[in-house]
């Protein structure tokens, strides 16, 4: 992957956030499995009541938010958003976690690893899976040099996998 050709989060250059996109949301899968998954990494999933602003949300609207080791989400939060924000915390050194508020990105390598890990962890959530998560990432507006999350993950994510392996992450 060349510099500047990294997976991009929604609303970056050329991407369009589609808040009404038909993607899996926490209301579709419930909070129990995501809460357990995040707890396994020392993170807390805090439920925000419907209609209330999500603390630490970089993108606003229904997107998940971060404050320290807590990931905030509502029932209408897309699963891909919850996983993406949680994976930012998982891939970063523990000493940085406590300092995070809203913006977790530290580097291109960390962003790539975050995208890769969210795809891998999707298989640990019943009713989600990596294929559905990648389709949701594309529908939401993530942009990848090879045109889709799946093409990037299958053909161009070696650096992201190496980043994860160096940290003993799946």
């Amino acid at each position: 992957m060349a510099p500047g050709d990294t997976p991009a989060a929604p609303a970056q250059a050329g991407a369009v956030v589609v808040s009404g996109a038909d993607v899996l949301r926490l209301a579709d899968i419930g909070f129990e499995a995501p809460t357990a998954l995040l707890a396994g990494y020392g993170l807390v999933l805090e439920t925000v009541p419907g209609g209330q602003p999500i603390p630490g949300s970089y993108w606003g609207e229904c997107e998940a938010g971060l404050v320290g080791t807590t990931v905030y989400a509502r029932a209408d939060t897309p699963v891909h958003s919850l996983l993406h924000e949680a994976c930012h915390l998982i891939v970063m050194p523990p000493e940085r976690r406590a300092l995070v508020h809203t913006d977790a990105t530290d580097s291109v390598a960390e962003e790539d690893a975050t995208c890769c890990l969210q795809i891998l962890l999707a298989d640990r959530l019943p009713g989600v899976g990596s294929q559905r998560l990648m389709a949701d990432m594309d529908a939401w507006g993530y942009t990848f040099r090879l045109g889709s999350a799946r093409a990037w993950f299958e053909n161009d994510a070696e650096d992201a996998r190496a980043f994860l392996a160096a940290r003993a992450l799946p």
Side-chain angles (χ1 to χ4, degrees):
M1 203 178 261
D5 284 339
T6 62
Q12 231 172 344
V16 176
V17 176
V18 185
S19 61
D22 184 22
V23 298
L24 282 176
R25 297 178 188 268
L26 286 171
D28 300 321
I29 68 164
F31 283 83
E32 187 176 329
T35 297
L37 177 65
L38 271 58
Y41 290 97
L43 306 177
V44 173
L45 175 55
E46 183 75 28
T47 305
V48 177
Q52 296 297 311
I54 298 175
S57 178
Y58 185 82
W59 301 107
E61 304 267 336
C62 58
E63 297 275 353
L66 301 174
V67 179
T69 58
T70 302
V71 181
Y72 294 89
R74 297 188 310 227
D76 65 336
T77 296
V79 173
H80 69 81
S81 176
L82 170 74
L83 285 174
H84 188 85
E85 297 308 322
C87 288
H88 269 296
L89 293 175
I90 294 167
V91 304
M92 73 175 52
E95 61 273 9
R96 275 191 41 228
R97 288 181 182 179
L99 305 175
V100 170
H101 193 299
T102 308
D103 187 3
T105 300
D106 181 56
S107 66
V108 170
E110 193 173 281
E111 184 68 33
D112 292 354
T114 294
C115 287
C116 187
L117 185 59
Q118 80 184 87
I119 292 166
L120 294 169
L121 292 185
D123 285 332
R124 296 189 187 175
L125 293 176
V128 183
S130 61
Q131 296 302 315
R132 175 59 195 255
L133 190 85
M134 288 185 282
D136 285 1
M137 291 167 74
D138 292 340
W140 199 258
Y142 288 68
T143 58
F144 294 89
R145 172 171 87 120
L146 296 181
S148 72
R150 183 177 179 175
W152 171 77
F153 183 73
E154 293 177 353
N155 302 297
D156 199 25
E158 299 86 12
D159 291 345
R161 284 188 175 86
F163 183 104
L164 296 173
R167 287 149 183 83
L169 292 169

